[in-house]
Amino acid sequence: MPDPVIVDIPHKLGKEGARARLAKGVGKIGSMIPGGGAVQERWEGDTLHFTVTAMGQSVASRLDLHETRVHAEVDLPPMLALFANKIREKLQKEAPKLLE
């Protein structure tokens, strides 16, 4: 399995503020993955686990909340690993908007 796409997103919201913003915006994450679509989500403590269905593939991801950053990891299936750099760039650009 390819290495996950890892992005750290800084914020000044604290954990609870970041959780509230992510809860409202997690549905938008599907649009950040090429061919993205449906998003399934669940919280475990301070970690949001979600799966995006993209191009017939399931992309499992998680966001770990910290006081001053969100640590994102996206596990790409081999077929989508070719898009790892584009996905990383898109996440770095678009993910901070989820915390606005």
Side-chain angles (χ1 to χ4, degrees), residues 25-39 50 52-54:
V26 72
K28 299 175 187 173
I29 293 173
S31 67
M32 294 181 194
I33 308 288
V39 177
F50 62 96
V52 178
T53 302

Side-chain angles (χ1 to χ4, degrees), residues 24-68:
K24 284 198 273 188
V26 72
K28 299 175 187 173
I29 293 173
S31 67
M32 294 181 194
I33 308 288
V39 177
Q40 296 178 332
E41 62 182 275
R42 69 181 163 77
W43 284 94
E44 281 184 16
D46 290 332
T47 302
L48 172 61
H49 296 271
F50 62 96
T51 302
V52 178
T53 302
M55 296 170 40
Q57 302 286 310
S58 290
V59 180
S61 307
R62 67 207 149 279
L63 301 175
D64 295 313
L65 300 182
H66 300 273
E67 285 298 320
T68 60

